[in-house]
């Protein structure tokens, strides 16, 4: 049985975690081995990098270039340590964010050169590319409200990304639209303002053709 690599994308507060958990349950219920991962992070090395990127008290001075390289250091480790072996074992890999986040956040959000960004992504992932990417979309105003609620709940643990200003998230949103336009076969735009079961139903419609073996399982 072939492994399948599915990634979830979207801005803050788009409900990715809820939907990933629902999809995982559905796949397991049909007898598929599922590997749940997140970026940045997912491996012990990656989780240390995640802390540096998001929560470290020393990260306020981090440059866009350093951020780009750290994201891809975490990714290079995750691809080789976990994603490739899981796919080789026939598992369904569900990853909360992958390289489209880098294009959207570091490319469009931070304004780094897109050719350089893509070159570094290529080095980090090689041939390991998602089969399907689900892009959960909520408008920037909803995303901002949810982000602020989360910031209040998690205080005093700060998150450097959640501190960014509205203009940054508007550029990230633009980035996601550009990515979608470039690869409509792989990337599916999901309106995530709807009820949770409606969203999970649409996600299943996109995923099901990739996991035909589960139907007999
Ligand atoms: P999250 O796990 O709560 O989504 O936080 C991850 C943060 O990191 C989120 O703000 C998006 C950001 N990010 C990037 O800027 N570039 C990347 O390549 C990835 C994977 C995440």
């Amino acid at each position: 049985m072939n492994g399948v690599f599915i990634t979830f994308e979207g801005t803050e507060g788009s409900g990715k975690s809820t939907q990933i958990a629902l999809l995982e349950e559905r796949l397991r219920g049909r007898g598929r081995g599922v590997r749940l991962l997140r970026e940045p992070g997912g491996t012990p090395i990656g989780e240390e990098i995640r802390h540096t990127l998001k929560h470290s008290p020393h990260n306020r001075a981090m440059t866009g270039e350093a951020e780009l390289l750290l994201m891809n250091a975490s990714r290079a480790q995750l691809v080789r340590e976990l994603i490739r072996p899981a796919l080789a074992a026939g598992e369904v890999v569900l990853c909360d964010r992958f390289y489209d986040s880098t294009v959207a956040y570091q490319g469009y959000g931070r304004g780094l050169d897109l050719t350089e960004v893509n070159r570094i992504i290529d080095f980090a992932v090689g041939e390991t590319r998602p089969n399907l990417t689900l892009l959960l979309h909520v408008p920037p105003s909803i995303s901002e409200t949810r982000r602020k609620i989360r910031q209040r709940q998690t205080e005093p643990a700060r998150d450097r990304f959640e501190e960014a200003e509205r203009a940054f998230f508007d550029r990230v949103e633009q980035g996601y639209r550009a990515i979608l336009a470039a690869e409509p076969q792989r990337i599916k735009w999901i309106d995530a303002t709807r009820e949770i079961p409606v969203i999970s139903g649409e996600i299943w419609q996109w995923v099901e053709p990739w996991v035909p073996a589960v139907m007999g399982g």
Side-chain angles (χ1 to χ4, degrees):
M1 194 152 44
N2 288 333
V4 186
F5 184 19
I6 299 171
T7 60
F8 282 74
E9 293 285 348
T11 47
E12 276 65 14
S14 56
K16 280 184 284 104
S17 319
T18 305
Q19 291 300 331
I20 292 171
L22 289 172
L23 179 59
E24 180 195 15
E25 200 179 296
R26 197 157 194 173
L27 287 165
R28 286 198 196 283
R30 305 228 173 172
R32 280 305 287 242
V34 183
R35 184 65 64 102
L36 213 61
L37 300 170
R38 71 170 177 182
E39 278 207 331
T43 62
I45 289 171
E47 290 297 324
E48 286 187 8
I49 296 173
R50 180 183 176 92
H51 173 76
T52 302
L53 280 161
K54 283 176 62 111
H55 308 298
S56 162
H58 309 295
N59 69 14
R60 288 184 204 273
M62 191 182 295
T63 64
E65 289 79 2
E67 184 176 285
L68 170 69
L69 291 167
L70 285 175
M71 289 291 176
N72 282 284
S74 169
R75 178 166 301 137
Q77 187 69 29
L78 184 68
V79 162
R80 288 158 187 81
E81 188 175 328
L82 294 177
I83 297 179
R84 286 181 188 165
L87 292 174
E91 292 180 20
V92 181
V93 175
L94 303 181
C95 199
D96 186 345
R97 298 190 181 279
F98 200 52
Y99 59 66
D100 297 308
S101 282
T102 304
V103 176
Y105 284 75
Q106 281 66 55
Y108 284 82
R110 303 277 188 230
L112 297 181
D113 182 83
L114 287 173
T115 307
E116 295 295 346
V117 167
N118 280 310
R119 215 197 315 254
I120 286 164
I121 289 172
D122 289 348
F123 181 64
V125 305
E127 298 299 307
T128 305
R129 310 263 162 184
N131 299 108
L132 174 68
T133 296
L134 301 156
L135 174 45
L136 271 56
H137 180 258
V138 291
S141 56
I142 294 186
S143 176
E144 186 171 25
T145 308
R146 292 182 182 170
R147 204 169 63 238
K148 289 198 168 139
I149 292 171
R150 194 153 69 180
Q151 262 174 310
R152 276 199 295 273
Q153 286 169 345
T154 54
E155 256 174 343
R158 58 179 279 276
D159 179 326
R160 201 170 55 88
F161 286 91
E162 303 209 343
E163 288 170 356
E165 80 285 18
R166 175 73 179 269
F168 173 79
F169 290 104
D170 286 348
R171 292 194 297 275
V172 170
E173 154 108 2
Q174 249 182 3
Y176 275 129
R177 288 182 187 277
I179 292 164
L180 174 75
E183 279 189 84
Q185 286 294 354
R186 170 174 68 89
I187 305 173
K188 305 303 169 193
W189 180 274
I190 313 268
D191 172 4
T193 59
R194 297 169 299 169
E195 297 290 313
I196 288 171
V198 178
I199 301 168
S200 63
E202 187 182 342
I203 287 175
W204 184 245
Q205 280 179 11
W206 291 117
V207 170
E208 199 172 14
W210 284 102
V211 287
V214 300
M215 299 310 294

